[in-house]
Amino acid sequence: MDGQKLPATPTLAQVTDIIAQQKLGNCVPVFVQLPADCLTPVMAYLKISKDSKYSFLLESVIAGENVARYSFIGADPFKVVRTGPGQEIEGDPMTALQKELQIYKYVKIPEIPTFTGGAIGYIAYDCIQHFEPTTKNDTLSDPYGIPESIMMLCDTIIVFDHLYQSVKVVSHVIAPPTSSASDIPFTYATAVSKARRVAKLLLGPNTPMIDQPPISIPSPASGSNTDLPTATTLHAPISNVGKVGYEGFVTKLKEHIVKGDIIQAVPSQRLKRTTNLHPFNAYRQLRQVNPSPYMFYLDCGDVQLVGASPETLCRVERNKVYNHAIAGTVKRGKTPEEDAKLGAQLLASEKDKAEHIMLVDLARNDVNRVCQPITVKVDELMKLEKFSHVIHMTSTVSGILREGKTRFDALRSIFPAGTVSGAPKIKAIQLVAGLEKERRGVYAGAVGRFDFADDEMDVCIAIRTMTFKEGSVYFQAGGGIVFDSVEEDEYEETLNKLKANVRAIDEAERYYLMLQNTVKAASV
């Protein structure tokens, strides 16, 4: 199969009719299609990202066991937007992104009823200061030194359709306002050429492999806590607060609850460890260890994000807003029967139910701020969802955007989720920041996509997420604190939430160390 000769859909005549005659918009997806039976998303990513500084892979497993219909892969964005202190753009990242995307008047075509291009990236938790200025805290230290947001603008991506076992390489015919009908053939040919060029890479016989540096086993770091979740004490990560520090957070927040300052708050602890493991090899292991609704690998140049998040922050589909609340967690059992027993105990827990209902109410309020009140409803309430290491209690809230409100307003209203901040949200954020004394970075922020279509987006909460930077990997997890929280139990809950990611690093390092030693032994 010759990628350069693959037929393109829609045709030039159809695109010209859409843009010039019907005047439906100025951004039309065009694609070439090839079979997916001999290609996987990981292979496709490796083929197209080899020489790119920026790239992404988005996958999904629903309810921990069913592969979602679509996976998305892209590289070589035509523009990268960074915001934050010292960046070209400072302040509200949604204002900058809206400005970038508002020029596109996207036309949906029936052959691809899903994401075909737009902005892919992250929004750090610390961006809350731009949405709610009263949360601004200039005293926080910055352990990461990364932008507050990075968005990769991509007009050519790969869409895996797992239902029909096909791959569509999509680009876009984009007609600037000053263009005329006579310009469309050139822009159409350019878009088709981009799609065919990527298809040719996918059809090539070779799959580039990751250049994995030698794996070394570090000695235990000074101050490391060997009680932390890890396969071997030689790999023990370092906590920024430790057991005593985290339990101190819990005690202090309970005092604020008694005073009536808050009802609930979500402190966190951050783990750090050095590793030579390539971030994409960590992702390959994580997708086996912890399949989740939002699995992602983002190479943002100087920082890489590897995640398996269970929780939607804000999804907008045809201007309908969805928020997924998770509150209430128990670790998995060893058998289906034990899972059922633990799940029943979670549903029977008065503490967990009260906390969950409170956060569902908070989600309803967040959605209601930007949606038509009559449309806001709880679609699912206190549903159990099983993941690799834990069982969560979950609910879903939805509503239809009010006239004059946009998807960017929806994200501002919901961000950050109550499940990673607390209630009342603003006061909880302020109190937790005063305890943690650090910027959270990507943790508890958002990762996902903003479509060219102005009524579509899908971002998850950046939990169960690893940040790789300069030879170190960072993990972070927290838990909701209420009046009757038990300090040690809350600390253990954070460790349970971290287990899948820490395990992925440990297992991947052992695997590549084994390969390394095998090659070394064979050369002797």
Side-chain angles (χ1 to χ4, degrees), residues 347-424:
L347 288 174
S349 167
E350 293 299 328
K351 169 187 173 294
D352 286 302
K353 286 194 296 183
E355 181 183 352
H356 189 92
I357 292 297
M358 177 192 61
L359 290 169
V360 170
D361 267 344
L362 181 58
R364 287 174 63 228
N365 290 339
D366 288 344
V367 172
N368 195 65
R369 289 167 65 187
V370 292
C371 290
Q372 302 168 31
I374 197 172
T375 68
V376 177
K377 62 180 181 177
V378 179
D379 300 300
E380 293 181 317
L381 182 64
M382 293 194 294
K383 175 185 174 183
L384 290 181
E385 291 190 37
K386 298 175 184 176
F387 296 89
S388 62
H389 288 70
V390 295
I391 301 172
H392 287 307
M393 190 189 305
T394 74
S395 294
T396 304
V397 177
S398 68
I400 297 173
L401 280 172
R402 294 202 302 269
E403 187 175 350
K405 294 296 183 181
T406 68
R407 54 185 170 167
F408 305 104
D409 295 316
L411 184 127
R412 289 187 186 101
S413 180
I414 296 170
F415 188 99
T419 53
V420 292
S421 54

Side-chain angles (χ1 to χ4, degrees), residues 253 256 261-262 265 426-436:
L253 290 169
H256 283 288
D261 297 331
I262 52 171
I426 302 304
K427 187 64 175 178
I429 289 171
Q430 292 169 337
L431 290 174
V432 168
L435 293 172
E436 294 183 349

Side-chain angles (χ1 to χ4, degrees), residues 236-413:
I238 303 169
S239 170
N240 64 329
V241 295
K243 185 174 187 290
V244 172
Y246 189 82
E247 291 181 358
F249 290 172
V250 177
T251 300
K252 192 66 178 176
L253 290 169
K254 287 168 66 175
E255 291 173 4
H256 283 288
I257 291 169
V258 171
K259 290 178 183 178
D261 297 331
I262 52 171
I263 303 169
Q264 188 244 31
V266 186
S268 66
Q269 68 163 320
R270 174 176 50 80
L271 307 184
K272 175 185 177 181
R273 56 164 289 190
T274 57
T275 182
N276 291 333
L277 185 66
H278 191 287
F280 192 69
N281 285 336
Y283 175 75
R284 294 172 69 185
Q285 188 67 32
L286 182 64
R287 69 199 292 274
Q288 299 177 45
V289 170
N290 190 26
S292 299
Y294 292 88
M295 295 187 295
F296 54 86
Y297 179 75
L298 269 59
D299 188 343
C300 301
D302 297 328
V303 61
Q304 293 77 37
L305 304 181
V306 174
S309 174
E311 192 166 1
T312 303
L313 174 66
C314 182
R315 186 172 85 250
V316 180
E317 294 178 353
R318 298 184 182 274
N319 282 329
K320 187 170 184 178
V321 178
Y322 296 89
N323 176 245
H324 187 209
I326 292 180
T329 304
V330 66
K331 65 180 180 180
R332 290 289 302 268
K334 296 179 180 178
T335 64
E337 293 75 20
E338 192 175 351
D339 270 349
K341 181 180 178 180
L342 291 168
Q345 290 174 353
L346 181 59
L347 288 174
S349 167
E350 293 299 328
K351 169 187 173 294
D352 286 302
K353 286 194 296 183
E355 181 183 352
H356 189 92
I357 292 297
M358 177 192 61
L359 290 169
V360 170
D361 267 344
L362 181 58
R364 287 174 63 228
N365 290 339
D366 288 344
V367 172
N368 195 65
R369 289 167 65 187
V370 292
C371 290
Q372 302 168 31
I374 197 172
T375 68
V376 177
K377 62 180 181 177
V378 179
D379 300 300
E380 293 181 317
L381 182 64
M382 293 194 294
K383 175 185 174 183
L384 290 181
E385 291 190 37
K386 298 175 184 176
F387 296 89
S388 62
H389 288 70
V390 295
I391 301 172
H392 287 307
M393 190 189 305
T394 74
S395 294
T396 304
V397 177
S398 68
I400 297 173
L401 280 172
R402 294 202 302 269
E403 187 175 350
K405 294 296 183 181
T406 68
R407 54 185 170 167
F408 305 104
D409 295 316
L411 184 127
R412 289 187 186 101
S413 180

Side-chain angles (χ1 to χ4, degrees), residues 154-165:
C154 296
D155 62 358
T156 304
I157 71 168
I158 300 165
V159 179
F160 268 76
D161 187 331
H162 300 290
L163 179 62
Y164 290 105
Q165 287 297 297

